[in-house]
Amino acid sequence: MKAEMNEWIQKADVLIEALPYFRTFSGTTVVIKYGGQAMVSDALKRSVIMDIVLLRYVGINPILVHGGGADVTRLMNRLGKEAVFSEGLRVTDAETIEVVEMVLMGKVNKEIVSLVNQYGGKAVGISGKDADLIRARRRPPAGDAKCPVDLGFVGEIERVNPKVIHTLTCGGYIPVISSVGIGPKGESLNINADHVAGQLAASLKAEKLILLTDVEGIYADFTDPASLISALPKDRALAMIRAGQINQGMIPKVQACLTALEGGVGRTHIVDGRISHSLLLEIFTDQGIGTMVSAGP
Amino acid sequence: MKAEMNEWIQKADVLIEALPYFRTFSGTTVVIKYGGQAMVSDALKRSVIMDIVLLRYVGINPILVHGGGADVTRLMNRLGKEAVFSEGLRVTDAETIEVVEMVLMGKVNKEIVSLVNQYGGKAVGISGKDADLIRARRRPPAGDAKCPVDLGFVGEIERVNPKVIHTLTCGGYIPVISSVGIGPKGESLNINADHVAGQLAASLKAEKLILLTDVEGIYADFTDPASLISALPKDRALAMIRAGQINQGMIPKVQACLTALEGGVGRTHIVDGRISHSLLLEIFTDQGIGTMVSAGP
Amino acid sequence: MKAEMNEWIQKADVLIEALPYFRTFSGTTVVIKYGGQAMVSDALKRSVIMDIVLLRYVGINPILVHGGGADVTRLMNRLGKEAVFSEGLRVTDAETIEVVEMVLMGKVNKEIVSLVNQYGGKAVGISGKDADLIRARRRPPAGDAKCPVDLGFVGEIERVNPKVIHTLTCGGYIPVISSVGIGPKGESLNINADHVAGQLAASLKAEKLILLTDVEGIYADFTDPASLISALPKDRALAMIRAGQINQGMIPKVQACLTALEGGVGRTHIVDGRISHSLLLEIFTDQGIGTMVSAGP
Amino acid sequence: MKAEMNEWIQKADVLIEALPYFRTFSGTTVVIKYGGQAMVSDALKRSVIMDIVLLRYVGINPILVHGGGADVTRLMNRLGKEAVFSEGLRVTDAETIEVVEMVLMGKVNKEIVSLVNQYGGKAVGISGKDADLIRARRRPPAGDAKCPVDLGFVGEIERVNPKVIHTLTCGGYIPVISSVGIGPKGESLNINADHVAGQLAASLKAEKLILLTDVEGIYADFTDPASLISALPKDRALAMIRAGQINQGMIPKVQACLTALEGGVGRTHIVDGRISHSLLLEIFTDQGIGTMVSAGP
Amino acid sequence: MKAEMNEWIQKADVLIEALPYFRTFSGTTVVIKYGGQAMVSDALKRSVIMDIVLLRYVGINPILVHGGGADVTRLMNRLGKEAVFSEGLRVTDAETIEVVEMVLMGKVNKEIVSLVNQYGGKAVGISGKDADLIRARRRPPAGDAKCPVDLGFVGEIERVNPKVIHTLTCGGYIPVISSVGIGPKGESLNINADHVAGQLAASLKAEKLILLTDVEGIYADFTDPASLISALPKDRALAMIRAGQINQGMIPKVQACLTALEGGVGRTHIVDGRISHSLLLEIFTDQGIGTMVSAGP
Amino acid sequence: MKAEMNEWIQKADVLIEALPYFRTFSGTTVVIKYGGQAMVSDALKRSVIMDIVLLRYVGINPILVHGGGADVTRLMNRLGKEAVFSEGLRVTDAETIEVVEMVLMGKVNKEIVSLVNQYGGKAVGISGKDADLIRARRRPPAGDAKCPVDLGFVGEIERVNPKVIHTLTCGGYIPVISSVGIGPKGESLNINADHVAGQLAASLKAEKLILLTDVEGIYADFTDPASLISALPKDRALAMIRAGQINQGMIPKVQACLTALEGGVGRTHIVDGRISHSLLLEIFTDQGIGTMVSAGP
């Protein structure tokens, strides 16, 4: 009994340690790009979702954005269709966009919503088509100028209309958003989920943008794990992209951070989603984890 | 010019004729089950959607509920899976419910949302899993007692929690709802969309429930098109079901009407969705169309 | 039955044709100066009032302004008093202003209010004295400088205080306003109803000002009905007034349009009230009818 | 200076004496029937109006109801029409009701509104036709059964719809109401102003109903000024009416009190409007003035 | 670094463990009687205050009630006045009540307020005299009937008027309340702080009442620490009081629990304030700590 | 009876005379520094408190600020502690500030609150520590540079956070504020109450600041009572302070006025609290009383 009591008291001490962070972030909005291992492993999935529900209970407004690459490819394969990529971008024909949308909204989104609700949150899942949330245009063809490849139904964000997000958060809901936008003719367009998160954070004037990924953060030398950068000023980030020092998959994440920073977001973070409670660690410890991309030096 | 003017004046007269109906229904809620041909033919689709947008502009709150049988079967087939039915109910194994959910939320729902938005409404599409809208339990096995067939992920509604619907309609949105509910373990359950519409109408104390279908209404003798019944009191409806006079596909619709009536809904209608503007005709003409199922004689 | 149904469907098509206009004007304010034949003929009266009630039901805020010349003169005559005019303006002695106010508020205003309510709207009729709506000063004497004629209780608007209009429209009411203002000593002043409409439109930042009159609009040559002008830019309007090309009774209407445009009103229209549903035709057709006076060319 | 100061201090003492009454009545509604000498003499008029403005400033909601007999008769005469009465009720033909309405809304009502605004209140004047405030039916013919006289456009109240009163008082306005109601065909009906006040008080659940009149109150013996009754229980009032002890003009006032009491109004008063500040004396002194008609003994 | 990270992750796990309790208690009101050692030891003081601030950040409304016995006696002594007790109640003459009030409101209350604000809460400290919060009457003389002792300015609660509490909590404040009430003549009355907490909990329909004290809870045999009772049904509590099994100082606490339970409070707890984070342990562990007095068995 | 009636009518006339002032000040905020004789004499106390309650009933928001010098010294003496002053400022050691706070919050403040409530107002008393209302810093040592005296816990205002004042006035309460602020370490600091009043008036953008004192106002020559200044422009006030023409105790009052004027307060007044109803006389007479310190000449 005594021992149990002491253990409890230590736990209460931990809650109390978090108090200054509750004070700092209470009432703020945090946009979270959910993806990678954290969306695959059951344990990590639960960990992320519980972190998000906790954030809401302590007065923070989490907004979740997700993509769903692996599941898309899986269904494509089952349908006997091969995935084609051009310079890292999925070539998305009419059939593919249909699969993308079904997997994102009908599988991934609802799984997340269901988990959030199971852990005591109240989630509502929507896509960029609902309430005209994300207007997009076709992305120009990729490939070199001589031999461009039509990417099909791949979009770039034109305008975010965040009114529905406010309606939902004011109603007490946690919005969960699929990275599908609406094109000029009402067609669905596949949009990079990092970009969606960055633009949403900007249009919501979020306090933080957190992008979960499967590496520790950005490395000065991406072949050397010891070269992790804790704080990356905007100018250095741009220089590193130009110099080819940031690897392919990381580029949209860094771009999302820069978009958010330009839109007035306070802080942006690229965080290792393979660590359990990575969100809480980022928000509720002084050092944070991963790489913080910041406006100033 | 003169001729044109006269034509316009006649059109204005038509608007004015609708005025008494605007007065009567302004501020009320109408739950609409969208399905059948009206969801297949492009012209009918546009007609229904524009009717719904119009209803919203004249002060009525339309709530849309949809299923999506044909699209589900099509994707099942493409995946090399055969649809199995037991007494008219789809036997829904784990793989099937995944397909159902993807098709409903990721294809049908978003198509409807997109069309509504294109015609000037503001739609948000959700499923019964969002915001815990529809809690369901597994439906008991079908088949005769000796040889029951486990229907799998097929559900019956336990409880509707319409708070999110109010949040959305107050925010100016038209809710579009997929007929998927959430089971006791967080699993998705396939629910009859007519039943969803009936329960939602009841829990929202809707003014009207309108179920679109592919026949003119209920026939006294379903082999005789001349025997269409305009007004069907509840007691006669029950008697006809017991006597086997109402055909298989119509039964859940009649049940939905009865559920709604018990829940305090004013009027319930089974309407021919193959007629263009069937919704406006039902609401904005004195006689209405199709069969009205009513509480009293 | 079939025929009837087809007719209904055609009517529904007409409603649907109006949808884009509902979208455009929903939530906007339209100030309407009601007068002329449309206030005399019973059929036209009903047509205008029903148009107004319809506007309200489709989400537009109509504000009605009226004068009442003919009725005033009639009561004057019955009281054995002759109407005196100086340069088109009624010379208004103490007895006359009393008659004006009684006829406007006690007869014309309440008839309009009663009709609106009969057709399903909720009207409240007030004058410029209520809630200090229209503060006015005496209009300087008319006539040539040598021999000016004191116009008596005729006023010019000094300041419009539209708070009571907002209170009424927020409460769901259609305001009906008599063109009587309040002078510096609390006395009633007779004000040109076109001017009242123009100033109200300006102070409410209305979307549209529509002035009903008994001609088709403004003519380039007012002796030639074929010379009707559809769109009249502000500068040309001013030039035509200076050149004496706009006839006497039309001048205050054009002035009202100019006042409204300066105050930020989007569009101003002089419309033939002798056509039935002239308001709907102006608002709900692309070409509109009558003459639009506009800020730019 | 000293003397002046002392005088001021005595005045401040008077304000302070009123404090307990401010406490008691702050936030309550008082319906006042304004009529008689208090509407004729300029000094009394100002006194009543200032009392009303003061009530509003100390947190009480005054609602004014008025008739206008003398002015009506005067205009009738000027129009060469004779006033006809049957058992104390004005026989009101179509021409007469038009005159009544013009005089009430266009003259009396606006004069009151103007005075209130001049003394710092914010009044809005409406009739029973505005916002459907007072629905009435034709009063059955007067006269003995054998030889009934059709009273014409004279009405009895069917239903009061006080929503517009709430809209106005919430907006900070003092409603001033003419005793004209709306009949089943939209026609104007002349209604006894005492009755209007009584019904309004009942439907607003007013704290007090105060009827200004030209006598001190009700007399036990109306030939003997010394027999003034301070407090008249409902039962005795009924008995006195039955016994013919209450004179003709006083009967509708007593009826109004009884209607109000039945509707839950706290206290009802018949007060001498010839005394200056009669309203303040009634409300802000312990004894009150005039006759209080009360529910219990 | 790795080690540090693991430690953080364990801390995050602790936060997550608290999640189900956040869900359960979010939005509820908890009345806390603060006293004893927890108000003396600096470390315990900080622990209680931080617990309270944390409760507010996770969406719970804590209401603090305090007395201040020791400080009162200390000031009494410094003023050369001896404390007199009669049957455990302080005999409170005019001078004593002045000292009580000064110490409670001017010292104890403001120290608590200041600490709460220092740890990031927003406290406002009031007494039962502010906003007429606690109306009380003199407590009847204590002592045996033959020789009663006048207790002086000691009060019993007559009525709690919790409006000001709602005003403060809606404004985001944590109310801190001194146990002084207001007597019929406006005089201050010293009231038992446990009783104040119990009545406040009842009138606020609080979820929980927690009374901090300096023992572990209630003992079946108060000479035997091993006989601590975890759950004490109301009936047994009453029986134990009657049987003299509950010691003197504990009686008002048990009475406060019973008052609260009668008023509809969910759960009431007597908790050992000498344990750090006793509030969090009570609320955020399944077993709770101390003795729960409950309505049912 | 007649005589009594006439007296009443004269009293009503007095109420009516106040009407223009009610109009002018309705809805405004008036900060009142309460002190001196008006806080000592029972009759004056009642007079001030009733004035304040009256102000609230006629729609003005009074905010009361008080110090409490005499009571502090009295308790100090009873505790055998001598009051030490340096250049007119109380040297405030740790024991003294404790006494100050106890007397102000626990005695003076609650007495005022209790009186206001007794006369029908709803007061809530707080100090500058509640809700972080007044942040202060230690005042630099007084005395000449060579031999400074540490004043101890005496503070200067750094920042006023008036949110809690708005919460209270919106809830219908009259805030009563003790002049104690909170220092950087959470310690209590004794602040000049005139300064608190001036800063509060500035941060609330009050309409008026009124400082009650025990002289008639400011004298041109403070040895000559006939030299009372009615209106003192800011520049002359500064010049008089520099010239040593304003006596010691009056200086903080003049400074408070200047602070308020700089903060945008309309008018500031130094008023003789020994006159009964001095507040009403200042606000509700055209000349006012005492000295008005004004921004312009």
Side-chain angles (χ1 to χ4, degrees), chain D residues 60-278:
Chain D
I60 297 170
N61 261 327
I63 315 288
L64 231 66
V65 177
H66 69 90
D71 282 302
V72 171
T73 304
R74 207 168 307 129
L75 183 57
M76 295 284 284
N77 293 345
R78 287 189 50 201
L79 290 167
K81 229 182 123 67
E82 211 172 325
V84 181
F85 288 84
S86 164
E87 311 221 335
L89 293 164
R90 188 188 291 275
V91 178
T92 306
D93 60 12
E95 211 179 336
T96 306
I97 185 68
E98 204 177 296
V99 169
V100 165
E101 207 174 354
M102 286 196 302
V103 169
L104 260 58
M105 271 316 290
K107 187 167 176 346
V108 181
N109 186 284
K110 293 309 152 199
E111 269 175 25
I112 299 172
V113 162
S114 185
L115 265 178
V116 170
N117 292 352
Q118 220 168 298
Y119 286 109
K122 296 189 295 172
V124 170
I126 59 176
S127 85
K129 295 171 84 174
D130 291 286
D132 240 3
L133 176 61
I134 302 170
R135 286 231 160 249
R137 63 176 153 258
R138 295 266 189 126
R139 197 174 167 132
D144 59 61
K146 279 183 206 139
C147 176
V149 179
D150 180 3
L151 292 166
F153 295 90
V154 170
E156 284 177 342
I157 299 172
E158 258 186 13
R159 184 184 59 55
V160 164
N161 174 8
K163 197 175 150 288
V164 72
I165 304 291
H166 294 302
T167 299
L168 290 173
T169 56
C170 289
Y173 300 104
I174 298 172
V176 179
I177 299 154
S178 288
S179 60
V180 173
I182 188 154
K185 291 168 196 153
E187 75 274 30
S188 302
L189 294 176
N190 188 10
I191 308 180
N192 182 290
D194 294 320
H195 288 172
V196 169
Q199 287 273 14
L200 261 178
S203 80
L204 293 165
K205 304 272 172 246
E207 180 69 23
K208 268 183 191 284
L209 167 68
I210 303 178
L211 304 155
L212 293 181
T213 181
D214 285 353
V215 291
E216 284 175 79
I218 298 174
Y219 302 100
D221 168 358
F222 61 78
T223 63
D224 173 13
S227 69
L228 181 70
I229 302 170
S230 300
L232 180 63
K234 183 179 150 182
D235 290 343
R236 186 172 168 206
L238 284 166
M240 285 178 73
I241 292 178
R242 266 184 258 110
Q245 291 169 310
I246 288 179
N247 87 12
Q248 194 67 18
M250 193 57 86
I251 288 176
K253 290 184 202 308
V254 177
Q255 288 170 333
C257 290
L258 299 176
T259 302
L261 291 169
E262 270 157 43
V265 172
R267 306 198 153 195
T268 70
H269 306 268
I270 295 166
V271 161
D272 190 346
R274 296 167 310 175
I275 299 172
S276 64
H277 302 310
S278 45

Side-chain angles (χ1 to χ4, degrees), chain C residues 241-254:
Chain C
I241 291 178
R242 266 184 260 109
Q245 290 170 310
I246 288 179
N247 86 13
Q248 195 66 22
M250 193 56 87
I251 287 177
K253 289 184 202 310
V254 177

Side-chain angles (χ1 to χ4, degrees), chain E:
Chain E
M1 179 68 190
K2 259 283 133 81
E4 202 181 4
M5 185 79 83
N6 281 336
E7 198 190 312
W8 286 343
I9 292 174
Q10 280 166 34
K11 287 179 177 183
D13 274 326
V14 173
L15 286 176
I16 289 300
E17 271 181 53
L19 193 49
Y21 301 100
F22 293 177
R23 282 168 65 175
T24 304
F25 293 107
S26 181
T28 66
T29 293
V30 175
V31 174
I32 297 152
K33 157 66 197 309
Y34 179 39
Q37 274 302 310
M39 225 161 84
V40 177
S41 141
D42 269 2
L44 286 174
K45 221 187 275 186
R46 275 199 305 277
S47 153
V48 168
I49 296 301
M50 287 190 293
D51 286 9
I52 283 162
V53 174
L54 185 96
L55 292 179
R56 180 81 209 197
Y57 273 103
V58 302
I60 296 170
N61 262 326
I63 315 288
L64 231 66
V65 177
H66 69 90
D71 282 301
V72 171
T73 304
R74 209 170 304 130
L75 184 58
M76 294 285 283
N77 293 343
R78 286 189 52 201
L79 289 167
K81 230 180 122 69
E82 212 172 324
V84 182
F85 289 84
S86 165
E87 313 221 333
L89 292 164
R90 188 187 291 275
V91 179
T92 306
D93 59 14
E95 210 179 337
T96 306
I97 184 68
E98 203 177 295
V99 170
V100 165
E101 207 175 354
M102 288 197 301
V103 169
L104 260 57
M105 272 315 291
K107 187 167 176 347
V108 181
N109 187 285
K110 292 310 151 198
E111 271 175 24
I112 299 173
V113 161
S114 184
L115 265 178
V116 171
N117 293 351
Q118 220 169 300
Y119 286 109
K122 296 189 295 172
V124 170
I126 59 175
S127 85
K129 295 171 83 174
D130 291 286
D132 241 3
L133 175 61
I134 302 170
R135 287 230 159 250
R137 65 178 153 257
R138 295 268 188 126
R139 195 175 167 132
D144 57 61
K146 279 183 204 140
C147 176
V149 179
D150 180 2
L151 292 166
F153 295 89
V154 171
E156 285 178 342
I157 299 171
E158 258 185 14
R159 182 184 60 53
V160 164
N161 174 7
K163 197 176 151 287
V164 72
I165 304 292
H166 294 302
T167 299
L168 290 172
T169 55
C170 290
Y173 300 105
I174 297 172
V176 178
I177 297 155
S178 287
S179 60
V180 173
I182 188 154
K185 293 168 195 152
E187 77 272 32
S188 303
L189 294 176
N190 189 11
I191 308 179
N192 182 290
D194 294 320
H195 289 172
V196 169
Q199 287 274 13
L200 262 177
S203 79
L204 292 165
K205 305 274 173 242
E207 180 69 21
K208 267 182 191 286
L209 167 69
I210 303 178
L211 304 156
L212 294 181
T213 181
D214 285 354
V215 290
E216 284 175 79
I218 298 173
Y219 302 98
D221 168 359
F222 59 78
T223 64
D224 173 12
S227 69
L228 180 71
I229 302 169
S230 302
L232 180 62
K234 183 179 148 181
D235 291 343
R236 186 174 169 204
L238 284 167
M240 284 178 74
I241 291 178
R242 266 185 258 109
Q245 291 169 310
I246 288 179
N247 86 14
Q248 195 66 22
M250 193 56 88
I251 287 177
K253 289 184 202 311
V254 176
Q255 288 171 334
C257 291
L258 299 177
T259 302
L261 291 169
E262 271 157 42
V265 172
R267 303 198 155 196
T268 70
H269 305 269
I270 295 166
V271 161
D272 190 346
R274 297 167 307 175
I275 299 171
S276 63
H277 302 310
S278 46
L279 288 173
L280 299 189
L281 299 190
E282 202 310 291
I283 300 175
F284 292 158
T285 60
D286 266 351
Q287 294 181 237
I289 60 170
T291 298
M292 179 175 84
V293 184
S294 63

Side-chain angles (χ1 to χ4, degrees), chain C residues 105-140:
Chain C
M105 271 315 290
K107 188 168 175 345
V108 181
N109 187 284
K110 293 310 151 199
E111 270 175 25
I112 299 172
V113 161
S114 184
L115 266 178
V116 171
N117 293 351
Q118 220 168 298
Y119 286 109
K122 296 188 295 171
V124 170
I126 59 175
S127 85
K129 295 171 84 175
D130 290 286
D132 240 4
L133 176 61
I134 302 171
R135 287 231 160 249
R137 64 177 152 257
R138 295 267 188 125
R139 195 175 167 133

Side-chain angles (χ1 to χ4, degrees), chain B residues 125-138:
Chain B
I126 59 175
S127 85
K129 294 170 85 174
D130 291 285
D132 241 4
L133 176 61
I134 302 171
R135 287 231 160 248
R137 66 178 151 258
R138 296 268 188 125

Side-chain angles (χ1 to χ4, degrees), chain A residues 78 95 110 114 123 125 130-131 186, chain B residues 78 95 110 114 123 125 130-131 186:
Chain A
R78 288 188 51 201
E95 210 180 337
K110 293 310 151 199
S114 185
D130 290 286
Chain B
R78 287 189 49 201
E95 210 180 337
K110 293 310 151 198
S114 185
D130 291 285

